[in-house]
């Protein structure tokens, strides 16, 4: 497939990261970059291929049943209805080959429609910057609603106080005004709790993002320390192997029948000096 994701540079990058730059990788990359174009090409090519194949299989027996499959438009209509799981029944295959093509069309339509729904859902999702902008604008709108609700509560409280001076608490006018005040006050409390919840949820998301970044940094530091420890361990093993080889060669070259104390002391001093030199 001709694409920048199948070039030599892409193959080198994929090999560095432990991936394979094959056909599946190219399809996935194109679906991530431009999902509408591969889906449209897949739909059109599947419809044309299945329609042409069904037309060739159903044309000899279509005239006997009053279904003109000789016209490519009718075969295309049948394939489209099969792929979308509609199936009006005005055109349908009767041969084994035509039914096989209809089955393939139904499977392809199910897969392509599923990919289309997933792509549409991904297109409608906010990015990080878009989500932050939407949250900010939504907060501003909710704050404006809260101001209006607070103004209504204050006006109803002032109206209820004026009614109380004119009418008694048992009068119908005062009860209606007080019930209206309680209703608006309840709405104001619900709206204020919802706005407070918006701020709390956003703060929690920010805290989680910071904690995840800190965990990533700690993981990288731990990985670097592990690599340092491995390199030190390899160097130590190399030094120990060198020391053992040298010690073995000297013992074999200077092996007497009966070792005297002076020679034993000399070998011990030689071994100690080599250990100090290796540590330095």
């Amino acid at each position: 497939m001709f694409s920048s994701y199948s070039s030599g540079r892409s193959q080198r990058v994929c090999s560095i990261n432990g991936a394979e730059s094959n056909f599946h990788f190219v399809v996935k990359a194109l679906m991530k970059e431009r999902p509408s174009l591969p889906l449209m090409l897949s739909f059109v090519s599947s419809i044309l291929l299945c329609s042409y194949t069904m037309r060739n299989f159903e044309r000899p027996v279509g005239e006997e049943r009053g279904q003109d499959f000789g016209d490519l438009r009718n075969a295309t209509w049948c394939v489209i209805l099969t792929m979308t799981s509609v199936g009006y029944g005005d055109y349908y295959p009767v041969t084994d080959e035509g039914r096989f093509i209809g089955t393939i069309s139904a499977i392809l339509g199910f897969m392509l429609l599923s990919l289309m729904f997933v792509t549409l859902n991904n297109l409608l999702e906010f990015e990080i910057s878009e989500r932050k902008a939407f949250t900010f604008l939504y907060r501003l709108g909710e704050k404006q609603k809260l101001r209006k609700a607070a103004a209504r509560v204050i006006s109803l409280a002032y109206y209820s106080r004026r009614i109380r001076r004119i009418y008694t608490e048992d009068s119908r006018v005062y009860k209606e005004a007080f019930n209206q005040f309680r209703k608006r006050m309840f709405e104001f409390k619900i709206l204020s709790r919802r706005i407070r919840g918006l701020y709390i949820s956003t703060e929690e998301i920010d805290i989680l993002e910071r904690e995840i970044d800190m965990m990533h940094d700690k993981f990288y530091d731990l990985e670097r320390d592990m690599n340092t420890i491995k390199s030190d361990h390899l160097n130590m093993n190399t030094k120990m192997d060198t020391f053992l080889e040298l010690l073995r060669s000297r013992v074999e070259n200077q092996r007497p029948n009966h070792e005297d104390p002076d020679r034993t002391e000399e070998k011990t001093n030689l071994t100690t000096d080599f250990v100090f030199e290796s540590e330095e």
Side-chain angles (χ1 to χ4, degrees):
M1 181 180 290
F2 180 75
S3 174
S4 60
Y5 295 103
S6 60
S7 61
R9 181 181 180 183
S10 299
Q11 292 178 0
R12 289 193 300 272
V13 172
C14 290
S15 61
I16 291 172
N17 292 276
E20 295 183 2
S21 179
N22 50 18
F23 177 76
H24 295 89
F25 174 76
V26 175
V27 172
K28 292 177 182 179
L30 290 176
M31 287 295 296
K32 290 291 185 181
E33 183 181 8
R34 292 174 296 177
S36 58
L37 182 61
L39 280 177
M40 186 63 64
L41 292 177
S42 300
F43 258 115
V44 173
S45 60
S46 300
I47 290 172
L48 292 178
L49 181 61
C50 293
S51 301
Y52 182 76
T53 310
M54 184 176 290
R55 170 180 173 270
N56 293 334
F57 287 134
E58 295 295 326
R59 182 170 53 180
V61 297
E63 297 178 356
E64 300 176 359
R65 298 180 288 107
Q67 297 181 359
D68 187 13
F69 272 98
D71 191 354
L72 185 60
R73 294 175 297 179
N74 295 331
T76 305
W77 171 254
C78 179
V79 169
I80 291 174
L81 295 182
T82 304
M83 293 181 71
T84 55
S85 302
V86 177
Y88 283 134
D90 49 353
Y91 288 94
Y92 54 91
V94 294
T95 61
D96 294 337
E97 294 84 359
R99 289 174 178 174
F100 177 75
I101 297 300
T103 304
I104 297 298
S105 301
I107 295 174
L108 288 176
F110 176 75
M111 293 172 60
L112 293 175
L113 287 175
S114 300
L115 289 175
M116 182 181 292
F117 294 149
V118 173
T119 303
L120 182 62
N121 185 28
N122 293 333
L123 290 175
L124 293 177
E125 285 185 354
F126 284 131
E127 296 180 357
I128 297 176
S129 58
E130 293 175 345
R131 178 171 58 84
K132 291 182 178 179
F134 171 75
T135 304
F136 183 75
L137 293 174
Y138 185 74
R139 286 176 184 171
L140 292 178
E142 293 296 319
K143 283 183 177 179
Q144 189 67 25
K145 293 180 182 179
L146 187 63
R147 292 191 188 98
K148 293 181 179 179
R152 287 195 296 266
V153 170
I154 293 172
S155 62
L156 287 174
Y158 179 72
Y159 177 72
S160 300
R161 186 175 180 181
R162 289 185 59 187
I163 291 296
R164 186 176 181 182
R165 293 177 180 177
I166 300 173
Y167 299 94
T168 59
E169 295 183 359
D170 296 333
S171 62
R172 183 176 60 85
V173 179
Y174 175 77
K175 288 182 179 180
E176 291 179 356
F178 185 73
N179 291 333
Q180 192 71 16
F181 168 75
R182 290 181 60 185
K183 179 181 177 181
R184 296 299 180 182
M185 190 64 186
F186 182 71
E187 293 177 356
F188 174 78
K189 289 181 179 180
I190 292 177
L191 189 59
S192 62
R193 289 193 190 121
R194 186 167 60 189
I195 294 175
R196 195 181 303 115
L198 286 175
Y199 280 94
I200 293 174
S201 61
T202 307
E203 291 175 357
E204 289 178 353
I205 291 174
D206 295 336
I207 291 171
L208 287 175
E209 290 179 353
R210 287 196 297 270
E211 289 181 354
I212 290 172
D213 294 336
M214 292 175 61
M215 289 178 65
H216 279 296
D217 296 337
K218 290 181 179 179
F219 176 76
Y220 291 142
D221 294 338
L222 182 61
E223 186 177 4
R224 187 174 61 253
D225 295 338
M226 289 295 295
N227 293 329
T228 305
I229 292 173
K230 287 181 180 179
S231 62
D232 294 340
H233 181 68
L234 290 175
N235 294 330
M236 186 178 296
N237 288 335
T238 305
K239 290 181 180 180
M240 289 298 296
D241 293 337
T242 306
F243 170 71
L244 291 175
E245 289 292 334
L246 182 60
L247 183 62
R248 189 181 297 110
S249 62
R250 292 196 178 187
V251 168
E252 290 178 355
N253 293 331
Q254 300 178 3
R255 181 182 296 173
N257 294 328
H258 298 286
E259 293 186 353
D260 54 348
D262 295 334
R263 186 175 297 275
T264 303
E265 184 179 358
E266 180 181 357
K267 185 168 66 174
T268 304
N269 294 331
L270 178 64
T271 304
T272 306
D273 294 337
F274 183 80
V275 170
F276 285 145
E277 291 178 358
S278 298
E279 289 181 354
E280 293 178 356

